[in-house]
Amino acid sequence: MPATATPAVLTARALLLDMDGTLVNSDAVVERIWRRWAERHGLDGDEVMKVVHGRQGHASMAVLLPDRPVEQNLADNARMLAEETADTDGVIEIPGARAFLSSLEGLPHALVTSADVALSTARMNAAGLPLPAVRVTAESVGASKPDPEGFLKGAAELGVDPADCIVFEDSGAGIAAGRSAGMRVVGVGPRAVFHEPDVAVRDLTQVRVEAVAGGGVRLHIG
C-alpha cells in the first residue's frame, strides 16, 4: 500500500486519536472473539469482520442482527467487553506509536475510542503505550462511530474548534465519523486506504510531529 501520493504537511490545533488499528494492533484478539461470536450466531466470520472494526460492539451487533432487541445487544456487548479486556495475547503497538505519542507530550491531543475505560486501559498497557490525559471512551458517548459524537466531544474537551482538529483512524466507521465532525483524517494502515482519508500512511513511523509556535501541531507525513 502506498503511504500517500506525495509527502504532505498538515497543521492543526489538536489531534484526535483512535486506538484499535491506529495506536494498538489488537487484530488477533478481535478476530478470535468476533469469529467465535459469529459461529455462535450462525454468521459468516469473514462478513462479520467487515463490520466490526471501529464500532462499539452493540452497534456492530445491531448491523449484523438487525431484528434483535437492543437490550440483548447491550447485554451481549457487556460479555464481549469482559472477554476482550481479559484477552491481551498478541496486542502490540502499531509501529511508531510509542514515539508518536511521546512527541505529542505537551501538545493538545485526545484518545477517542469505541472501547470502554477498562478495555482501552488494558490494551494500551499491553502495548506499552501511555494513555493520553484526555480520553473519550464508550462510556462518554450516546452514539457509536460512524456518528461524530466522540470526535466532537474530544474537540470540546480540548477547547478546539472541530475544523482545527485532525483525526487519526484506521476504520471506515471511524473515518466517516471524523469527516462528519468536519475534521481532516489521516488514515492509518491497510483498512484505511479503502475509505479515502485525506492522507494515508502505512503506520505511524511515517508521521513526524512538530510543535507550532503559539500552539498547535504540524504533521510531516510520508
Side-chain angles (χ1 to χ4, degrees):
M1 183 191 84
T4 180
T6 56
V9 177
L10 302 174
T11 303
R13 300 291 299 178
L15 305 183
L16 302 177
L17 315 173
D18 174 52
M19 182 182 70
D20 291 300
T22 301
L23 299 173
V24 171
N25 182 345
S26 55
D27 282 359
V29 180
V30 174
E31 288 271 343
R32 280 195 296 272
I33 287 177
W34 277 100
R35 285 185 181 277
R36 285 202 300 266
W37 182 89
E39 186 174 357
R40 287 198 299 270
H41 293 281
L43 299 174
D44 181 270
D46 291 339
E47 294 303 313
V48 167
M49 296 312 302
K50 292 176 184 177
V51 171
V52 300
H53 292 290
R55 292 180 170 88
Q56 291 185 37
H58 65 85
S60 296
M61 293 170 190
V63 173
L64 293 161
L65 297 173
D67 297 326
R68 196 163 77 153
V70 171
E71 295 76 15
Q72 195 171 343
N73 290 338
L74 291 172
D76 208 359
N77 183 55
R79 289 190 292 270
M80 294 273 284
L81 282 171
E83 285 184 63
E84 290 185 279
T85 302
D87 184 355
T88 57
D89 187 24
V91 174
I92 57 174
E93 70 166 317
I94 294 292
R98 188 176 292 107
F100 175 67
L101 287 170
S102 294
S103 71
L104 291 177
E105 287 184 18
L107 298 174
H109 67 288
L111 186 73
V112 181
T113 175
S114 294
D116 64 5
V117 170
L119 180 57
S120 58
T121 301
R123 285 188 176 165
M124 292 289 280
N125 287 343
L129 299 177
L131 279 160
V134 178
R135 300 187 287 277
V136 178
T137 61
E139 297 95 335
S140 310
V141 298
S144 171
K145 300 171 186 176
D147 191 282
E149 182 185 0
F151 287 125
L152 292 173
K153 284 202 168 184
E157 287 277 340
L158 295 170
V160 176
D161 188 277
D164 291 328
C165 295
I166 291 176
V167 165
F168 279 70
E169 263 287 0
D170 74 301
S171 70
I175 290 169
R179 282 216 188 92
S180 294
M183 302 171 182
R184 290 161 290 163
V185 181
V186 175
V188 180
R191 282 189 291 270
V193 73
F194 297 107
H195 302 284
E196 300 182 353
D198 295 281
V199 177
V201 296
R202 180 184 64 249
D203 55 44
L204 294 170
T205 64
Q206 297 184 306
V207 182
R208 182 170 64 84
V209 176
E210 177 188 359
V212 176
V217 183
R218 181 175 292 117
L219 302 174
H220 300 266
I221 294 174

